[in-house]
């Protein structure tokens, strides 16, 4: 059994100063985690120099802090080490049991009184043993029961114990601190676009992407029983959900105030616990059930095939394989800004590797570069981090060669994960 140490959880203790961490036991199966910590980017930079190992002290598939190895040979030897571990990991997974199952939930409560138990600080006794020791897999998600993220956690890990967290950051930290074994977090929606916060957090934390799930998202308009649309003065929800229903709300004549809250189900819970008769929430049918609200309208997303893509995160990477479709996510930057982008992308194009996503985010350590080539004043260029997803496994020699080439063009490169693609047949009519 591995105990919780700063090295085993993969975080540099210097980079995270935990100022408050509290757990809220809602019922014996449910833990709501709230914590606040200060992130020290100077120490985090130092973190990139640490050598990450697996539980046995052997190198993980990505070297220090998940960076691509210094050479192709290093990549290949990392993959070989990982390949030798595949059998034991699969056996562990089998022992832990898989299959269709339940998500922990607050059943049928109509007020939030029991959700508002006085928070008690998280103690060492709240930290369970390492994953895969016979207990259910604990999966952190952002939101409260009834959130789409909870449904995504259930789709990714059908028998899991889903752990609600009030912020994305808390879900990351729950995994790092061994409170949870996995986190399932949204990264993009077909209508609302990227969830930038999670891209930034992926870079800031040392977790690995080990899978993806795509969840069809069917929004409902929820209100207290007896409330009619004409009584409504505002609609509240997660900003993504508000964006995904913008046109439909207008078509329904709901030109009322729209206010953002932390998550869709949290909006439903807020209405129920405060008995708000002039407010509706955009949330799932399951949230209506959990918080005792009625469904005023169903399927109010602007596009019927609305889908959100979630990634699963773990402390250790999985072993890349070639016997099924894999995707790999990387992030890179270059000292000379965007000029490198074409070269990097061509490393994939020349090898017929398809890109599925490209995203740029501010380079937070160095957001601006001053240039004065023409000696006519100083131009300020924005600096970016580029996130790319491509359709190949890191066990595929084409991907290894492409990354070896990318590494030559970039000053920073990190593999966020190489994981099976979600190939679930598309069913836009499915209700959550
Ligand atoms: O608020 C929720 O229910 C969530 O799970 C979050 C979230 C998101 O962040 O995009 C997830 C899926 C939907 O796209 C809307 C909201």
């Amino acid at each position: 059994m591995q105990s919780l140490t700063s090295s085993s959880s993969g975080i540099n203790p210097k980079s995270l100063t935990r100022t408050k961490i509290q757990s809220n036991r809602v019922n014996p199966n449910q833990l709501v985690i709230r914590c606040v910590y200060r992130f020290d980017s100077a120490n985090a930079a130092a973190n990139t120099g640490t050598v990450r190992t697996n539980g046995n002290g052997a190198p993980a598939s990505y070297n220090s802090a998940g960076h691509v190895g210094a050479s192709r040979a290093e990549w290949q030897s990392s993959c070989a080490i990982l390949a030798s571990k595949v059998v034991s990991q699969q056996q562990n997974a089998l022992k832990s049991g898989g299959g269709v199952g339940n998500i922990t939930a607050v059943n049928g409560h109509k007020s939030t009184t029991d959700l508002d138990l006085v928070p008690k600080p998280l103690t060492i006794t709240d930290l369970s043993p390492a994953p895969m020791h016979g207990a259910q897999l604990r999966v952190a998600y952002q939101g409260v029961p009834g959130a789409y993220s909870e449904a995504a956690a259930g789709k990714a890990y059908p028998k899991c114990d889903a752990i609600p967290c009030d912020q994305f950051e808390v879900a990351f930290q729950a995994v790092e601190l061994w409170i949870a074994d996995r986190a399932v977090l949204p990264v993009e929606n077909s209508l609302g676009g990227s969830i930038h916060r999670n891209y930034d957090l992926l870079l800031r934390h040392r977790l690995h992407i080990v899978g993806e799930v795509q969840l069809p998202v069917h929004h409902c308009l929820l209100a207290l029983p007896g409330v009619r649309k004409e009584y409504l003065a505002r609609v509240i929800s997660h900003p993504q959900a508000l964006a995904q229903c913008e046109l439909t709300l207008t078509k329904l004549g709901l030109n009322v105030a729209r206010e953002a809250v932390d998550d869709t189900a949290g909006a439903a819970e807020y209405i129920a616990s405060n008995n708000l008769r002039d407010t509706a929430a955009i949330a799932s049918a399951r949230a209506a059930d959990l918080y005792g609200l009625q469904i005023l309208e169903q399927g109010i997303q602007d596009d019927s095939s609305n889908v959100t893509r979630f990634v699963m995160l773990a402390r250790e990477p999985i072993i890349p394989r070639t016997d099924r479709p894999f995707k790999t996510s990387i992030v890179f930057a270059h000292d000379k800004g965007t000029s490198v982008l074409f070269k990097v992308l061509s490393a994939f194009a020349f090898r017929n590797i398809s890109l599925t996503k490209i995203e740029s985010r501010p380079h937070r350590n160095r957001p601006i570069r001053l240039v004065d080539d023409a000696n006519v004043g100083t131009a300020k260029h924005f600096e970016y981090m580029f996130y790319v997803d491509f359709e190949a496994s890191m066990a595929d020699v084409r991907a290894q060669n492409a990354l070896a080439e990318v590494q030559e063009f970039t000053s920073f490169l990190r593999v966020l994960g190489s994981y099976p693609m979600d190939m679930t047949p598309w069913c836009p009519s499915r209700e959550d």
Side-chain angles (χ1 to χ4, degrees), residues 220-223 234-237 264 267-268 271 279-283 293 300:
C220 302
L221 189 69
L222 312 180
R234 67 175 174 164
V235 175
I236 61 174
S237 197
T264 56
I271 290 173
T279 307
I282 299 173
L293 300 185
I300 59 164

Side-chain angles (χ1 to χ4, degrees), residues 70-118:
S71 66
R72 194 178 310 167
E74 193 177 332
W75 259 115
Q76 283 161 344
S77 64
S78 294
C79 289
I81 290 164
L82 287 166
S84 68
K85 288 169 59 189
V86 68
V87 178
S88 68
Q89 219 179 55
Q90 281 170 343
Q91 282 165 349
N92 282 341
L94 277 174
K95 271 185 223 153
S96 80
V100 182
N102 47 341
I103 306 163
T104 309
V106 177
N107 290 320
H109 73 86
K110 295 196 171 19
S111 89
T112 55
T113 344
D114 54 348
L115 286 172
D116 292 336
L117 295 176
V118 180

Side-chain angles (χ1 to χ4, degrees), residues 198-348:
N198 280 334
Y199 279 93
D200 296 342
L201 289 172
L202 276 171
L203 195 60
R204 207 178 278 187
H205 291 264
R206 316 304 326 165
L207 298 181
H208 301 263
I209 303 178
V210 294
E212 65 168 7
V213 278
Q214 300 195 349
L215 187 81
V217 172
H218 303 280
H219 289 302
C220 302
L221 189 69
L222 312 180
L224 283 169
V227 167
R228 290 165 44 178
K229 265 188 284 176
E230 306 82 81
Y231 305 163
L232 296 175
R234 67 175 174 164
V235 175
I236 61 174
S237 197
H238 187 281
Q240 273 279 343
L242 289 169
Q244 292 161 28
C245 303
E246 196 184 345
L247 300 176
T248 313
L249 287 181
T250 307
K251 273 190 213 146
L252 289 170
L254 284 168
N255 293 313
V256 293
R258 295 167 195 182
E259 284 175 25
V261 294
D262 279 349
D263 72 288
T264 56
E269 185 206 39
Y270 181 70
I271 290 173
S273 58
N274 292 288
N275 198 27
L276 301 174
R277 302 196 68 78
D278 65 346
T279 307
I282 299 173
S284 63
R286 176 171 150 75
D289 220 30
L290 285 175
Y291 304 109
L293 300 185
Q294 62 166 334
I295 298 177
L296 291 177
E297 294 283 342
Q298 302 214 34
I300 59 164
Q301 63 281 356
D302 291 342
D303 175 31
S304 61
S305 51
N306 186 32
V307 62
T308 300
R309 180 173 160 251
F310 294 78
V311 289
M312 289 105 91
L313 304 177
R315 287 178 293 275
E316 297 295 338
I318 57 159
I319 298 143
R321 296 162 58 150
T322 50
D323 58 352
R324 55 174 295 188
F326 259 62
K327 200 183 259 186
T328 301
S329 299
I330 59 168
V331 53
F332 62 87
H334 192 264
D335 296 341
K336 295 198 177 59
T338 49
S339 59
V340 75
L341 194 55
F342 176 77
K343 288 182 188 164
V344 167
L345 300 187
S346 58
F348 297 101

Side-chain angles (χ1 to χ4, degrees), residues 55-67:
N56 306 321
S61 64
Y62 316 127
N63 71 6
S64 61
H67 293 176

